[in-house]
Amino acid sequence: MTNDELNEKIRQACTHAAPDVLDAVLSDCNEQKGRVILMTTENKKKTWAVRMAGLAAGLCLILGGGLGVRNYQVNHTVDATVSLDVNPSVEIKINQKERILDVIPLNEDGRTIVGDMDFSGSSLDVAVNAIIGSMLQNGYLNELANSVLISVDNNDPVRGMALQERLADEVNKLLQTDSFRGAVLSQTVVKSDELQQMAEQYGITLGKAQLIQEILGKNSLHTFDELAPLSINELNILLGKEGAETHVEVVGTASEKGYIGETKAKEIALAKAGVSESDLTFYTVGLDTHKGVMVYDVEFISGSYEFDCEVNAMTGEIVKFEKEYDGAAVSNVSVEEHGEQSEHSQTEENQAVSNISLEKAKEIALDHAGVKATDATFVKAKSDYEDGRAVFEIEFVVSSGNTIKEYDYEIAASDGSIISYDYGIEGDSTPTAIQAGSSQNTSEISLEKAKEIALSHAGVASANAFEMEGKLDWDDGMSIYEIEFKAGGYEYSYEVDAATGSIVEFDKEWDD
């Protein structure tokens, strides 16, 4: 059968399936008698039903739209940021379902770790396992450097803490390998403008910036510049060295296997000093940092000399050497950044001669102050070397009722002349300092300048500091400014020398 014949068959079938009964229907309608009653009630019901159907449809659209927006937010909005730091630094952004929205390497090592892996839509656990695995495979985590930092940034502290604990446990299990045991540091991030600024300035994660701030809060002798280049393993060593409670959770111990060790460092320092171990009356060795490099700080006493030597912890190179005779520096050897060595030495024949004894210096100070020896309590009495000459530093206090008078003298060791002295009453805001016989107020800097110095050291902009207080006080024989303020979730406390502007004491702690 052709196509035309088939189409004709279908047309005929359709025609017969619908018989022509129009004439019969019209005939039946003509024969009906009576009046037609319009059922208006049924029409109203139909109109109400149509309206209700429309309202229901609109409500469904609204609900559906709302659910659609909510679903989009859950799936596409960043709920938390997890950063992983070793030396490679990687940020992982996740949604509320802990699905990956983005993985961002923050340095060249981070880009090596991530490589061409695409984590879009993967679970957080899968991404963390893959990234830690890549760090292990590429040698960034090993027996020489075994520490990793996990930082969680979440607006919900409870959820953030739970996520931190879970990830720390998972990563810790991954780092219990056949060749080494890892150390896992974990924390929740407390965001602030200051923290964000430091992270951006040094190209590091918020987590690493916060860890550095934690160390600086325990030891103000370090600086952010000095600590920023260090690896997490090195920062972990410094954190453990402070021996104080921190807000960072630590599981395991930082590896020191990449270093020469304390025994070797001491041998190098003694060889430099030309001293045998049997001649030592005191020594101490510990890991520290010098200009962004880990060093062993070796200090020891032999005979009448004190030595301070810093040895590169990895290479054994001496980066600093100081030798003091009875408190008077007689040599200073330092290695500059470019490896050039500069030496400033003074032979014993050319040393400033001390013609008076320490006891005589005490007598001179007491006589000048008009104080009897029986009324004085000495808090410092030692020899020193300043501006090319030997001096004695003498400090003593005199109690009288509720008043404590404090005296601070600097006396030339050659002839007993008074170079300078300070005097004040505890709590007195106007202490007096006399330099070589002329009167001069010790408060050479203003309170506002002292505040600027404290803010600059803390790395806090004045606009971000609040509850700032400052006053002039007298402490340990010197006029100081006491400065306190809060910023970025921390409380800061400074003591600034009113004469020189140097920072005497510094403390930083969480603002609870």
Side-chain angles (χ1 to χ4, degrees):
M1 182 179 296
T2 67
N3 287 337
D4 290 341
E5 291 174 339
L6 180 60
N7 289 334
E8 180 61 23
K9 288 286 186 182
I10 294 172
R11 186 187 65 78
Q12 292 177 2
C14 290
T15 300
H16 293 158
D20 187 7
V21 293
L22 177 61
D23 292 339
V25 172
L26 291 176
S27 176
D28 291 340
C29 289
N30 291 334
E31 292 177 358
Q32 291 180 350
K33 304 275 186 186
R35 60 192 180 89
V36 177
I37 300 175
L38 296 177
M39 304 298 290
T40 55
T41 303
E42 287 185 6
N43 289 339
K44 287 182 179 180
K45 288 182 178 180
K46 289 179 181 179
T47 302
W48 178 84
V50 170
R51 289 178 179 175
M52 289 302 297
L55 289 173
L59 182 60
C60 288
L61 288 173
I62 292 172
L63 291 174
L67 290 173
V69 171
R70 171 61 180 165
N71 187 58
Y72 182 86
Q73 291 177 338
V74 168
N75 289 292
H76 298 280
T77 301
V78 175
D79 180 64
T81 299
V82 176
S83 60
L84 300 175
D85 286 286
V86 175
N87 179 32
S89 294
V90 179
E91 278 188 352
I92 306 171
K93 298 185 181 297
I94 59 174
N95 62 21
Q96 290 185 19
K97 296 179 179 179
E98 294 188 8
R99 292 289 173 176
I100 305 299
L101 297 177
D102 201 3
V103 173
I104 307 169
L106 296 185
N107 54 18
E108 190 60 39
D109 289 333
R111 283 184 279 276
T112 298
I113 292 304
V114 174
D116 57 0
M117 291 187 289
D118 183 6
F119 296 105
S120 300
S122 302
S123 70
L124 175 61
D125 292 341
V126 168
V128 169
N129 274 264
I131 292 172
I132 294 297
S134 182
M135 288 180 178
L136 289 166
Q137 184 177 4
N138 285 277
Y140 290 103
L141 282 168
N142 52 52
E143 63 178 345
L144 304 182
N146 66 338
S147 301
V148 59
L149 171 65
I150 302 170
S151 305
V152 177
D153 177 8
N154 191 309
N155 291 328
D156 185 338
V158 176
R159 291 180 59 200
M161 180 62 73
L163 183 56
Q164 170 197 334
E165 292 176 353
R166 195 189 86 218
L167 290 177
D169 183 61
E170 291 179 3
V171 172
N172 183 52
K173 292 176 181 176
L174 291 173
L175 296 186
Q176 305 313 306
T177 69
D178 294 335
S179 58
F180 73 95
R181 294 290 182 267
V184 180
L185 298 83
S186 63
Q187 62 181 354
T188 54
V189 174
V190 180
K191 287 189 294 188
S192 67
D193 293 339
E194 175 196 357
L195 190 67
Q196 185 69 47
Q197 177 185 351
M198 301 307 285
E200 292 176 356
Q201 179 179 345
Y202 291 93
I204 58 179
T205 65
L206 288 174
K208 185 174 181 180
Q210 182 169 288
L211 176 61
I212 292 173
Q213 284 187 334
E214 187 82 24
I215 296 172
L216 293 177
K218 305 300 178 185
N219 187 344
S220 61
L221 297 178
H222 299 299
T223 65
F224 209 106
D225 265 342
E226 185 181 35
L227 300 185
L230 299 182
S231 69
I232 296 302
N233 195 70
E234 292 167 333
L235 293 175
N236 192 10
I237 291 172
L238 294 179
L239 185 69
K241 177 175 173 288
E242 300 306 327
E245 184 178 351
T246 70
H247 292 80
V248 181
E249 298 292 331
V250 182
V251 178
T253 304
S255 173
E256 297 182 14
K257 291 183 178 181
Y259 302 146
I260 61 175
E262 293 183 355
T263 301
K264 183 63 177 178
K266 185 173 72 170
E267 290 176 3
I268 293 171
L270 292 176
K272 175 65 180 178
V275 174
S276 64
E277 187 168 359
S278 60
D279 295 331
L280 300 183
T281 56
F282 167 84
Y283 81 89
T284 180
V285 184
L287 275 169
D288 206 342
T289 180
H290 176 85
K291 295 183 179 180
V293 176
M294 294 297 291
V295 299
Y296 284 104
D297 187 4
V298 187
E299 298 179 11
F300 51 96
I301 298 174
S302 176
S304 299
Y305 290 89
E306 297 178 6
F307 299 85
D308 184 3
C309 186
E310 292 184 355
V311 182
N312 187 303
M314 295 185 70
T315 66
E317 177 188 6
I318 295 175
V319 297
K320 176 185 174 183
F321 181 77
E322 292 181 353
K323 178 181 178 182
E324 295 182 353
Y325 173 74
D326 193 23
V330 298
S331 69
N332 178 15
V333 181
S334 60
V335 179
E336 305 299 335
E337 289 183 356
H338 300 293
E340 299 176 358
Q341 189 176 38
S342 62
E343 297 192 12
H344 307 283
S345 61
Q346 182 180 36
T347 63
E348 291 188 30
E349 290 77 14
N350 292 329
Q351 290 181 40
V353 178
S354 177
N355 292 327
I356 67 169
S357 66
L358 180 60
E359 290 303 315
K360 183 60 178 177
K362 287 179 170 182
E363 291 177 11
I364 293 171
L366 290 170
D367 183 63
H368 182 272
V371 174
K372 295 179 181 179
T374 54
D375 295 333
T377 301
F378 285 89
V379 295
K380 181 195 288 186
K382 72 171 188 175
S383 59
D384 203 347
Y385 200 78
E386 185 174 300
D387 297 331
R389 60 181 172 181
V391 300
F392 289 107
E393 293 182 353
I394 311 294
E395 292 183 19
F396 57 92
V397 297
V398 178
S399 300
S400 178
N402 295 326
T403 302
I404 298 178
K405 298 178 181 180
E406 302 179 352
Y407 300 82
D408 185 358
Y409 281 82
E410 191 172 277
I411 297 173
S414 60
D415 58 9
S417 62
I418 297 174
I419 300 170
S420 68
Y421 80 86
D422 293 343
Y423 160 76
I425 300 174
E426 187 174 291
D428 185 9
S429 62
T430 57
T432 302
I434 298 180
Q435 187 68 248
S438 62
S439 297
Q440 179 182 359
N441 191 293
T442 58
S443 303
E444 296 180 358
I445 66 171
S446 66
L447 175 60
E448 291 306 313
K449 181 61 177 177
K451 290 180 179 180
E452 291 177 10
I453 292 170
L455 288 169
S456 176
H457 181 271
V460 175
S462 59
N464 296 329
F466 60 97
E467 294 186 20
M468 175 168 274
E469 299 177 353
K471 69 176 182 178
L472 187 64
D473 204 348
W474 187 252
D475 185 34
D476 290 336
M478 67 172 64
S479 178
I480 62 168
Y481 284 107
E482 294 182 352
I483 310 294
E484 296 180 356
F485 58 92
K486 297 180 180 180
Y490 290 92
E491 294 181 357
Y492 296 83
S493 176
Y494 279 86
E495 288 187 2
V496 180
D497 190 322
T500 65
S502 61
I503 294 173
V504 178
E505 188 173 322
F506 162 69
D507 185 48
K508 174 183 175 184
E509 59 185 19
W510 288 93
D511 182 10
D512 297 328

